[in-house]
Amino acid sequence: MKGRFIVFDGLDGSGKGEMIKRLKEYLGKKKGLKILVTKEPTDGKYGKQIREILRKEKDPKAGAEKCLSLFVKDREEHLAKEIGPFLKKGGIVICDRYYYSTIAFQHTQGIDMEKIILGNMAFRTPDIVFILDL
């Protein structure tokens, strides 16, 4: 069985968490499905650094380049250690945010969109993405 990679993306408060919860409940009723719910930034070493910068930084553009670098490292680690292995076992991964948020947020912080996209091109493309645009 081939794993499935599902991403929900959108602004805070757009309902991502509720949709993820409902999808997990629905899929959980299907016999034999393994489901992993995860998020970005992660709780790993790079994700923690990202959260620290976002919490402390008053000028969103000041830490933009550093955040972009950390998001890429966090995603690389997330895919290698968590998402990829789970998918290889045939599981379903539901992720709260992915590179779509990085593109949107880092671009609004003044980073060239092409640079952001190029930095994320090597990463796995989800099987399906739900972008909640409210």
Side-chain angles (χ1 to χ4, degrees), residues 1-5 34 36 75-93 124:
M1 178 182 178
K2 182 182 169 193
R4 296 283 183 242
F5 183 27
K34 295 173 279 173
L36 170 68
R75 186 162 296 120
E76 183 175 38
E77 184 176 80
H78 193 203
L79 285 162
K81 292 185 176 180
E82 204 171 346
I83 295 172
F86 200 84
L87 292 171
K88 284 181 183 174
K89 294 177 185 174
I92 297 172
V93 176
R124 180 186 177 100

Side-chain angles (χ1 to χ4, degrees), residues 64-133:
E65 290 285 343
K66 174 85 172 166
C67 273
L68 176 59
S69 172
L70 290 170
F71 272 113
V72 170
K73 289 176 184 176
D74 189 48
R75 186 162 296 120
E76 183 175 38
E77 184 176 80
H78 193 203
L79 285 162
K81 292 185 176 180
E82 204 171 346
I83 295 172
F86 200 84
L87 292 171
K88 284 181 183 174
K89 294 177 185 174
I92 297 172
V93 176
I94 305 170
C95 191
D96 184 341
R97 292 214 166 114
Y98 196 52
Y99 53 59
Y100 308 97
S101 285
T102 303
I103 293 167
F105 288 114
Q106 276 22 77
H107 183 62
T108 61
Q109 290 180 314
I111 299 176
D112 180 66
M113 187 170 298
E114 188 173 329
K115 178 180 180 177
I116 302 165
I117 292 170
L118 286 172
N120 284 277
M121 282 186 76
F123 296 130
R124 180 186 177 100
T125 302
D127 294 300
I128 189 164
V129 179
F130 298 96
I131 297 178
L132 305 181
D133 180 16

Side-chain angles (χ1 to χ4, degrees), residues 19 25 56 90 105 122:
M19 293 296 102
E25 287 172 2
K56 287 184 174 180
F105 288 114

Side-chain angles (χ1 to χ4, degrees), residues 21-35 92 94:
K21 178 181 139 200
R22 288 179 183 213
L23 180 59
K24 182 183 179 194
E25 287 172 2
Y26 173 78
L27 293 173
K29 294 176 185 174
K30 308 289 182 185
K31 196 169 191 125
L33 287 181
K34 295 173 279 173
I35 303 162
I92 297 172
I94 305 170

